[in-house]
Amino acid sequence: MAVCTGCSLLCNDIEVSIDGRRITRTKNLCRKGFGRYRSLTSDRPVPRVDGKQTGIDEAISRAAEMLRNARRPLLFGWSCSTLEAQRKGIELARRTRAIIDDTSSICQGEIVDMIIRRDIPSCTLDDVRNYGDTLIFWGCDPSSSHPRHMSRFSYFPRGEKLQRGHEEDRTAFLIDIRASPTAKILAGNFVQIPPGGDADLIDAMLAVLDGKIPKVRDKKAMISMMNTLKKADMGAIFPGLGLAYSLRGRMDRLKALVDRLNETTRYNVIPMVGHYNMRGFNQLLFDETGFINRVSFADGVDHGPMYSVVEASESCDLAMIVGSDPISSLPAGIAKALARVPLITLDPHRTLTTELSRVVIPTALSGIEAGGSALRMDGVRIEFDPIVKSEYPSDEEVLTRILEEI
Amino acid sequence: MMVTIVTFRDIFQSEAQEVDRFSEEYRRMSAVVFLDKSDAAKAGIKEGSNVLVESDNGRVVVVARISEDAHPGLAFMPNSPWSNRLVPAETDDTRIPSYKSISAKISATDDKVPTVEDLLRGMVS
Ligand code: SF4
């Protein structure tokens, strides 16, 4: 069985037949995962220094030299690397007194932080499959972002305690602003809110729990939803980017709701982390520094918004990007600031960031060409072996060699 | 006509992104805006035609798609380097960009949809 690193579900039931480097047949992959497997043969970058094609060794040496000479380097990306590579990355940040940040800084960081600090309760997806009878998908569209979430773990499967599955034993609600594909599946239980309406909805939910009349248009539907939520034996909330962005800076509202629900029943939260090992990076950095992201090693360990990729893009004098495409994913104004400094990029694919990089080091595609381990969105560790031989080194190998040369 | 742009992730676009960010397929899936039927009619924008989307932070030309569901005042764009042209570079104390709620003006245009290479040129100029 192979593992798919297409999203943070890390599906480990993938069957693959291979002929040389060509994948001839796969089973169980979703469309997104299939894209990841197909990318094995598409658009791989070549090692490059200052616009000229070189050997990998030369690119690695040049990267080490640039890092050695940088005064305020930023090391960013990490959520598409194995735990083993991430560990090396953190070591490299220490050694070069760098700022280190990952993609959680611009997405689910605040929620993952609360979970890792145990400010809100969480559980595994296997617990959800077996016992999760009441689910809330919130500001997410699992059918598109984590296509096998509902079928492998949350909604459709029969669990140990839930033999009648979604037909009778499970109820799932979707709270979102868009009538997404998931909204079509959960049509009867789709709660549509206006942009930024999440905090008001939480207030209304808390009001019902306190026996008050909620300030919403459809009071009856709200009261009925809350009655269902209260009756859960075990509930689960899956916050997506919609909730993360809408409640940014106000995550205490989510905590207030979860705490209140937990006064009478049991609710756990599992954020819909996007990249396959963001959770792993956050856990590793937390174990080493007490913070999940936005850390500077310039003078001991420091943490704060000035070390977020958004601010550090302006203040750094060099950036090393590992398995991420910030030039594509940051707001254009911030990407422009980042593009002004010399970039070193490690990536299995050609991306907007590799195009603007002074040094490009092509790497193996983890899960397919490189083995290692990663933490699934619920923190469960998944190990994987390479299934094809690669001409490219893994992130871990490249980072090890850079460390040796520094 | 003013709308609020909300970005989202689409599975077909994600698949195209996994395979090749420089492909025509990725551009076709990414450089689009889903408009409410009545909003599109008011702005004189037809399915498949080009739309100029302008926010305080930038402007980009993408292709109009008319949604089956009604969502007046809202317009949806897949999260991509095209939508990122519109997202403010300024952030609040959280330093998390406002990807999902951008006030923007939409209008019909004959201008072309930029390629990834065009967007990259804009980054370094
Ligand atoms: S759900 Fe995620 S991990 Fe599973 S096959 Fe699809 S992309 Fe891969």
Side-chain angles (χ1 to χ4, degrees), chain A residues 3-14 28-34 36-37 145-149 152, chain B residues 18:
Chain A
V3 171
C4 174
T5 53
C7 79
S8 65
L9 287 182
L10 288 166
C11 292
N12 53 356
D13 59 350
I14 310 300
N28 291 340
L29 280 174
C30 73
R31 183 173 270 278
K32 190 169 166 179
F34 186 56
R36 187 142 181 100
Y37 272 69
S145 60
H146 300 77
R148 297 182 68 209
H149 192 285
R152 273 189 77 205
Chain B
E18 287 288 349

